[in-house]
Amino acid sequence: MRGTQDQREAIITAAAEIFSRFGLEKTTMEDIARSARKSKSALYYYFKSKEEVFAEVIRKEIAGLKHAIREAVEREDDPYYRFRTFVRTRLDYLNKKADQYTTVKDEYLKHYAFINSLTEEYSNWEVSTLKGIVEYGRDRGLFEVTDTAAVSEALFFALKGLEYPWAINYSREEIARHVEVLIDLLLRGISRR
Amino acid sequence: MRGTQDQREAIITAAAEIFSRFGLEKTTMEDIARSARKSKSALYYYFKSKEEVFAEVIRKEIAGLKHAIREAVEREDDPYYRFRTFVRTRLDYLNKKADQYTTVKDEYLKHYAFINSLTEEYSNWEVSTLKGIVEYGRDRGLFEVTDTAAVSEALFFALKGLEYPWAINYSREEIARHVEVLIDLLLRGISRR
Amino acid sequence: MRGTQDQREAIITAAAEIFSRFGLEKTTMEDIARSARKSKSALYYYFKSKEEVFAEVIRKEIAGLKHAIREAVEREDDPYYRFRTFVRTRLDYLNKKADQYTTVKDEYLKHYAFINSLTEEYSNWEVSTLKGIVEYGRDRGLFEVTDTAAVSEALFFALKGLEYPWAINYSREEIARHVEVLIDLLLRGISRR
Amino acid sequence: MRGTQDQREAIITAAAEIFSRFGLEKTTMEDIARSARKSKSALYYYFKSKEEVFAEVIRKEIAGLKHAIREAVEREDDPYYRFRTFVRTRLDYLNKKADQYTTVKDEYLKHYAFINSLTEEYSNWEVSTLKGIVEYGRDRGLFEVTDTAAVSEALFFALKGLEYPWAINYSREEIARHVEVLIDLLLRGISRR
DNA sequence: GATGAATGAGCTTTCATTCAT
DNA sequence: AATGAATGAAAGCTCATTCAT
């Protein structure tokens, strides 16, 4: 039946909301159940454990992030803009998430790390997307890069740092400004002279 | 009293060991007490709460990191090397920490939060250290940077990403290689043409 | 309907297997359902409760034991051998059961309760079967017994103890040996001098 | 301090009462705590788990049984009476216990099996006590037994059956009568002709 | 006949924290 | 300065059972 999937979906949606507010450990099954208007035991009918609920929530968020990035990047022709768009979309999405996570800045980090440890698959996807962009720029004679693999991993690491700032007191604008500088700096670093 | 400080010190040392192995939530006061050969209630004589113990542990850890970086950086004259040294020392220290954290893969989270969130003060220190390096290079005519503040924050973010990789399947060597590429890229980005 | 009986039968068979492995409380309706390839709620269509399923399983088990003993005993003419056969068949059957119970050492409990408590009816049957054997021997002038009822109950108790040993570290052979000694001792006790 | 032991003792006493009424699984820590006028968590301060509490209860009961048997047996000189006393004391003790266990006849069995599986040590003790009695009788020229080890194990099994009857509807007197018959029968089985 | 979905009622266990001594 | 004893509050999880369909 569709029903089962729908119920799972509904629970995941409710859970996402709660997790984003209180983090993994502080959120109780009770909380989720209440918010999903189900009994606690019903959750266990659909999911094996709290961790499994959490994992589904994350999986869904990652899918959303991937989708957003892919869409945006493909719309750009210019390699420079493709890279900029990659970084910006990524950041916008994370910022949006960060808004939900205001109470739990600290927990968010765990959260986010869990994403990664949960699925390094996503990291790989990011690296290879970056590689695509770099190669695209190189083929157009704009970027001067020999080892595209190495460079895209380096870029990946550099961008990883962008996941950090919400945890502390940077305003949205400050972050945006810093990001632009970082983009310029990185592009300058890989551009042909 | 000296004695009191010493006892606190001893507890912190013991706690650091345990926290590094099990993370903040998984570590119990019981664990710490046992490891410090104190009674559980004794901990409450010296510290107000588990969180306070944790905070002290972090404070000490950060002091160590700061010290290591400062020492190393000041030893270098060449701005390029100063930057390289900054990055490498930082990474070496984090790597060394990471070694203690082998058991707790999925607790990388704690680690992440552990190093960062507690005190932005350290972040500020990093940024200003970077700024020092950038200005030093600019004054020597090697770096071409107008807004040194902005650039050093950008660099700071870029380097933040380096805290991430240990959690997943990168070998020490792979990381080192990626880091070198990133350093080159960033230096190329700020060097005078 | 035949069908209904068949389904019940199928469930009982599946349940017997599971109960024998995990005991009454550790076995869940879920387990039984899975093993019977039925839905959990289907079990409730055929049985009122878990206890009822269990009861049926026992009833069947007892019927099997009775049948085995009766068959074997009737085949013997000599009163001595009739008694020996009674004891041995009983033990063989229990041993066979015990084989299924290997995994659940500390659940021997269940086993014990399992074979006995549910229905004293079987005990009565055993006592009267023993009485038959004793009278048969007495009528042939071999046994010297006045109160056959009392003696057969005493024998019954003595044999009850044989249900105990599998739970602990006796090998099949050791048990067999002890049983022979016990048989001799008991026969000697009731034989005419 | 003595205090700790005393508290444990008090909890065990309270727990014994409850366990005897409801059995292991039906008894909750809540029940025990209430009866011991302690908080539930206090129980966990003194014992690691419900099972551990239970184990202590059993251990104590076994000690009591051993003591009772030893005392009584040593008071008898005549080998016949020694054996009779052994059996009777054992049975009296078990009967006394059985009185506490009225509600949970069925569970008692599990209980009792747990004793054994928990500590076969006690069984060994019984066997060797029996062996002592048999050898004592043989040395006095009253019993005719070659393999005293084998015979005492056989007796042990025969007596094991006496643990069973409370579970069903035998009156105290009936049991007593049956036991006497069994004793006679067994003694007759091992007596010199 | 059969079942998917849902639940209520518990249960054990953990732990930071307190406080009299 | 230090601690043994005690606890409140919660949390995750299990399961027999029900019932509309």
Side-chain angles (χ1 to χ4, degrees):
Chain A
M1 311 283 110
R2 256 333 33 214
T4 293
Q5 254 320 308
D6 286 358
Q7 297 301 327
R8 275 181 70 101
E9 217 58 66
I11 292 170
I12 291 170
T13 307
E17 161 75 16
I18 311 284
F19 277 136
S20 74
R21 294 233 304 269
F22 304 111
L24 171 56
E25 354 236 338
K26 290 285 161 34
T27 297
T28 77
M29 287 303 254
E30 190 64 49
D31 294 338
I32 300 175
R34 201 179 307 119
S35 153
R37 287 156 202 278
K38 290 251 173 300
S39 78
K40 217 192 333 180
S41 20
L43 300 189
Y44 284 92
Y45 180 72
Y46 292 103
F47 299 89
K48 260 181 54 166
S49 67
K50 187 167 82 159
E51 257 71 26
E52 199 189 291
V53 179
F54 187 68
E56 288 309 312
V57 168
I58 300 301
R59 224 158 268 156
K60 231 183 124 186
E61 296 216 347
I62 287 183
L65 176 50
K66 261 190 182 176
H67 185 73
I69 294 182
R70 189 155 23 211
E71 286 252 303
V73 165
E74 279 167 7
R75 222 177 287 121
E76 298 292 339
D77 275 344
D78 181 55
Y80 286 100
Y81 275 94
R82 211 168 249 205
F83 181 71
R84 278 178 205 283
T85 299
F86 177 95
V87 180
R88 285 174 185 152
T89 312
R90 188 179 188 277
L91 191 70
D92 283 353
Y93 195 93
L94 295 176
N95 271 337
K96 215 172 58 201
K97 288 294 142 197
D99 277 343
Q100 304 171 7
Y101 287 70
T102 38
T103 8
V104 255
K105 293 230 164 102
D106 193 280
E107 266 261 331
Y108 181 82
L109 294 171
K110 305 185 189 180
H111 229 182
Y112 213 79
F114 193 4
I115 292 182
N116 298 315
S117 91
L118 190 77
T119 151
E120 62 176 280
E121 191 269 333
Y122 174 69
S123 297
N124 292 336
W125 181 84
E126 279 210 344
V127 171
S128 77
T129 302
L130 281 168
K131 190 149 164 266
I133 296 175
V134 170
E135 286 169 347
Y136 181 66
R138 184 202 53 191
D139 295 348
R140 294 251 189 139
L142 295 174
F143 296 164
E144 182 178 8
V145 174
T146 10
D147 189 344
T148 56
V151 164
S152 34
E153 302 234 36
L155 289 173
F156 167 77
F157 283 148
L159 298 178
K160 261 291 161 211
L162 298 179
E163 287 169 21
Y164 161 72
W166 323 303
I168 46 169
N169 315 328
Y170 282 87
S171 73
R172 204 51 45 90
E173 293 76 37
E174 279 173 315
I175 295 175
R177 215 172 325 118
H178 294 327
V179 167
E180 292 306 316
V181 177
L182 180 57
I183 293 176
D184 286 340
L185 196 158
L186 292 171
L187 283 176
R188 197 165 181 250
I190 59 173
S191 290
R192 150 162 287 153
R193 306 251 141 141
Chain B
M1 327 274 110
R2 231 28 334 246
T4 294
Q5 252 322 308
D6 287 357
Q7 297 300 325
R8 278 180 66 100
E9 221 48 74
I11 293 171
I12 291 170
T13 306
E17 160 75 16
I18 309 285
F19 278 135
S20 77
R21 293 231 307 266
F22 306 110
L24 172 56
E25 355 237 336
K26 291 283 163 41
T27 296
T28 75
M29 286 303 252
E30 188 67 46
D31 293 338
I32 299 174
R34 200 180 308 118
S35 154
R37 287 157 200 278
K38 289 255 172 298
S39 79
K40 220 193 328 184
S41 15
L43 300 187
Y44 285 89
Y45 181 73
Y46 292 105
F47 300 88
K48 254 186 55 168
S49 68
K50 186 167 86 160
E51 260 70 28
E52 198 188 294
V53 180
F54 188 67
E56 288 310 310
V57 168
I58 301 301
R59 225 157 266 156
K60 230 184 124 185
E61 207 87 60
I62 286 181
L65 177 50
K66 262 190 181 174
H67 185 74
I69 293 181
R70 187 154 27 211
E71 285 254 303
V73 165
E74 280 168 6
R75 222 178 286 120
E76 297 291 340
D77 276 344
D78 181 55
Y80 286 101
Y81 275 94
R82 211 168 249 206
F83 182 71
R84 278 178 204 283
T85 297
F86 177 94
V87 180
R88 285 172 186 155
T89 311
R90 189 178 187 278
L91 191 70
D92 283 353
Y93 195 92
L94 295 176
N95 272 337
K96 215 172 59 202
K97 288 294 143 198
D99 275 344
Q100 303 172 5
Y101 286 68
T102 38
T103 9
V104 235
K105 268 267 152 57
D106 99 336
E107 290 257 335
Y108 157 67
L109 359 160
K110 324 289 168 152
H111 192 199
Y112 204 84
F114 163 63
I115 306 271
N116 305 131
S117 74
L118 200 84
T119 158
E120 59 177 283
E121 191 270 336
Y122 173 68
S123 297
N124 292 335
W125 181 86
E126 277 211 344
V127 171
S128 78
T129 303
L130 281 168
K131 189 148 163 267
I133 296 175
V134 171
E135 287 169 346
Y136 181 66
R138 186 201 51 191
D139 295 349
R140 294 250 190 141
L142 294 174
F143 297 164
E144 184 179 6
V145 173
T146 11
D147 188 344
T148 57
V151 164
S152 36
E153 301 235 37
L155 287 174
F156 167 77
F157 283 149
L159 297 179
K160 262 295 163 207
L162 297 180
E163 286 168 22
Y164 158 74
W166 327 304
I168 46 169
N169 317 328
Y170 284 86
S171 73
R172 205 52 46 90
E173 292 78 35
E174 280 173 315
I175 295 175
R177 216 173 321 120
H178 294 327
V179 168
E180 292 306 317
V181 177
L182 180 57
I183 293 176
D184 286 340
L185 196 157
L186 293 171
L187 282 176
R188 197 164 182 249
I190 58 174
S191 289
R192 151 161 286 150
R193 304 252 141 139
Chain C
M1 328 272 108
R2 242 359 6 228
T4 293
Q5 252 322 308
D6 287 358
Q7 297 300 324
R8 276 179 69 99
E9 220 51 71
I11 292 170
I12 291 170
T13 307
E17 160 76 17
I18 309 286
F19 277 134
S20 76
R21 292 231 307 266
F22 304 112
L24 172 56
E25 355 237 335
K26 290 283 161 44
T27 296
T28 75
M29 286 302 253
E30 188 67 48
D31 293 337
I32 299 175
R34 200 179 309 118
S35 155
R37 286 158 201 278
K38 288 256 172 298
S39 80
K40 219 191 329 181
S41 13
L43 301 187
Y44 285 89
Y45 181 74
Y46 292 105
F47 300 88
K48 254 186 57 166
S49 68
K50 186 167 86 159
E51 261 70 26
E52 199 189 295
V53 179
F54 188 66
E56 288 309 311
V57 168
I58 301 302
R59 224 156 269 157
K60 230 184 124 184
E61 207 87 60
I62 285 181
L65 177 50
K66 263 190 181 176
H67 185 73
I69 293 182
R70 187 155 25 209
E71 285 253 302
V73 165
E74 281 168 5
R75 222 179 286 121
E76 297 292 340
D77 275 345
D78 181 56
Y80 287 100
Y81 275 94
R82 212 168 248 208
F83 182 71
R84 279 178 203 282
T85 298
F86 177 93
V87 181
R88 285 173 186 156
T89 312
R90 189 179 188 278
L91 190 71
D92 284 352
Y93 195 91
L94 296 177
N95 271 337
K96 215 172 58 201
K97 287 295 143 197
D99 275 344
Q100 304 170 7
Y101 286 69
T102 38
T103 9
V104 236
K105 268 265 152 59
D106 98 336
E107 290 259 335
Y108 157 67
L109 0 158
K110 322 291 167 150
H111 191 200
Y112 204 85
F114 163 64
I115 304 272
N116 306 130
S117 76
L118 200 84
T119 157
E120 59 176 283
E121 191 270 335
Y122 173 68
S123 298
N124 292 336
W125 181 84
E126 278 211 344
V127 171
S128 77
T129 302
L130 280 169
K131 190 149 163 264
I133 295 175
V134 171
E135 286 170 347
Y136 182 65
R138 185 201 53 193
D139 295 349
R140 294 249 190 140
L142 296 174
F143 296 163
E144 184 178 6
V145 173
T146 10
D147 187 343
T148 56
V151 164
S152 35
E153 302 235 36
L155 289 174
F156 167 77
F157 284 149
L159 298 179
K160 262 294 162 207
L162 298 180
E163 286 170 23
Y164 160 73
W166 326 304
I168 46 170
N169 317 328
Y170 284 86
S171 73
R172 203 55 43 91
E173 292 77 36
E174 280 173 315
I175 295 175
R177 215 170 327 118
H178 293 326
V179 168
E180 293 306 318
V181 176
L182 180 57
I183 293 176
D184 286 340
L185 197 157
L186 292 171
L187 283 177
R188 197 163 181 250
I190 59 175
S191 289
R192 150 162 285 151
R193 304 251 143 144
Chain D
M1 309 283 109
R2 264 314 53 205
T4 292
Q5 253 322 306
D6 287 357
Q7 296 303 325
R8 275 180 69 101
E9 218 57 68
I11 292 170
I12 290 170
T13 306
E17 160 74 16
I18 310 284
F19 277 136
S20 75
R21 293 232 305 269
F22 305 112
L24 171 56
E25 356 235 338
K26 290 284 161 32
T27 297
T28 77
M29 286 301 254
E30 189 65 49
D31 294 337
I32 300 174
R34 201 179 308 119
S35 153
R37 288 158 201 278
K38 289 251 173 300
S39 78
K40 220 192 326 182
S41 21
L43 300 188
Y44 284 92
Y45 180 72
Y46 292 102
F47 300 89
K48 260 181 55 165
S49 67
K50 187 167 81 162
E51 256 72 24
E52 200 189 292
V53 179
F54 187 68
E56 286 312 308
V57 168
I58 299 301
R59 223 158 269 157
K60 232 183 124 187
E61 296 218 346
I62 287 183
L65 177 50
K66 261 189 182 178
H67 185 73
I69 292 181
R70 189 156 22 211
E71 287 253 300
V73 165
E74 279 167 7
R75 224 178 285 122
E76 299 291 340
D77 274 344
D78 181 56
Y80 286 101
Y81 275 93
R82 212 167 249 206
F83 182 70
R84 279 178 204 282
T85 300
F86 177 93
V87 180
R88 285 173 187 155
T89 313
R90 188 178 189 278
L91 191 70
D92 284 352
Y93 196 94
L94 295 175
N95 272 337
K96 215 173 59 201
K97 287 295 143 196
D99 277 343
Q100 303 171 9
Y101 286 70
T102 38
T103 10
V104 255
K105 292 233 164 99
D106 193 280
E107 267 260 331
Y108 180 82
L109 294 172
K110 306 185 190 180
H111 230 179
Y112 215 78
F114 192 4
I115 292 181
N116 298 317
S117 90
L118 190 78
T119 151
E120 62 176 279
E121 191 268 334
Y122 174 68
S123 298
N124 292 334
W125 181 84
E126 279 211 343
V127 171
S128 77
T129 302
L130 281 169
K131 190 148 163 268
I133 296 176
V134 171
E135 286 169 348
Y136 181 66
R138 186 202 50 192
D139 294 348
R140 295 255 190 135
L142 294 174
F143 297 163
E144 183 178 8
V145 174
T146 12
D147 189 343
T148 56
V151 164
S152 36
E153 302 234 36
L155 288 173
F156 167 77
F157 283 148
L159 298 179
K160 261 293 160 207
L162 297 180
E163 286 169 24
Y164 161 74
W166 324 305
I168 47 172
N169 316 327
Y170 283 87
S171 73
R172 205 50 47 90
E173 293 76 37
E174 280 173 315
I175 296 176
R177 216 174 323 120
H178 295 326
V179 168
E180 293 305 318
V181 178
L182 180 57
I183 293 176
D184 286 339
L185 197 157
L186 292 172
L187 282 177
R188 197 165 182 247
I190 58 174
S191 288
R192 147 161 290 152
R193 306 250 141 141

